[in-house]
Amino acid sequence: MKKIGVLTSGGDSQGMNAAIYAVVRYGIQHGFEVYGIRNGYKGLMTDDVVKLTAKSVEGIAHRGGTMLGTARCLEMKTVEGQQKAVATLTKHGIEGLVVIGGDGSFAGAKVLSTQYNIKTMAIPGTIDNDLAYTDYTLGFDTAVSIVANAVKDLRDTMSCNDRTCVVEVMGNRCGDIAVYAGLVSGAEAVLPPEVKYDPDTLVARLKANAKKGKLDNIILVSEGLRSRGEIVKNKEADFVMEDILARMPKINIRSMVLGHLQRSGDATAQDRMLGIKMGAHAVKCLANGLTNRAIGIHNDAIFDEDIVEALAKTRGLNTEMYELANNLSKY
Ligand code: F6P
């Protein structure tokens, strides 16, 4: 194999650029020509392919977003779209492909390898941390840090006004961002989607705090809190605020959505390191002739496993973290 490609797909996340950086530089050092596919699988539909050099990736490893652009590509789910993708790869002589993205992007990589004989590697890039086979995904650490910083900053205005604030965070159907950020920032409550939401329990906590004179509370709510089917984004914080107001009409309360700020700004050192290690590992796998591998990290060690097996894994909430967050925030 002489030519390999790299693409980023789905929601961008910090650390994707670090992974691209490693794939390109390490790939070239392993004797590959490396091609970037722009805007995820969409670039394979439109033949948007550029040759990358060591210079192309200079100074990108720390940056958020992705230098290759990204998109969610529904066409890749159809046989026609998959055939278009393969035709583009074949036209450029690209035999190996590194896909960086979430579970939808992994599904595309799986199809390309199992049905079309393209050698694929999948790197978990999503702030949601919702891929069960790996301890961490690229961007999660940065998103947690951003949320934790936001909670710290919000304290200034909330505490001097004796005010409670309900803050909606991302994560899709996974509560890890809310739980980890809540734990490290001392949020007074975290509401992940994996735990049945009970407004009365939440309000009991706020009333107990008020009795002790604590009137400023920060409540982190996952965007998928009450999702049944499609997630209604940017609404959960308001819903929770209304539930509280219905039970504590006199409470001084506001709500806000942190939104895409969680996917913006530089990657933490941890996410850069993870991206670099995973990118380098993907290149090694391709150089060893492997295919259909998901790259992950477990107990600080990078590993690869079959994509189909990786996608079949499920996990619930990290209850240890959740309970710790819940207990430590008791006033
Ligand atoms: O999957 C990453 C993610 O940021 C989710 O947390 C969020 O629900 C979604 O993407 C937002 O998607 P978009 O950027 O298309 O609004």
Side-chain angles (χ1 to χ4, degrees), residues 2 57 88 91 257 267 292 294 296 304:
K2 283 206 169 74
V57 293
T88 302
K91 177 183 159 192
V257 178
N292 198 37
D304 58 274

Side-chain angles (χ1 to χ4, degrees), residues 11-12 72 126-128 170-172 177 223 233 260 263:
D12 51 274
R72 302 186 198 271
T126 165
I127 63 167
D128 299 340
M170 284 185 168
N172 209 352
I177 293 179
E223 61 182 1
K233 296 182 198 331
H260 289 82
R263 289 207 331 235

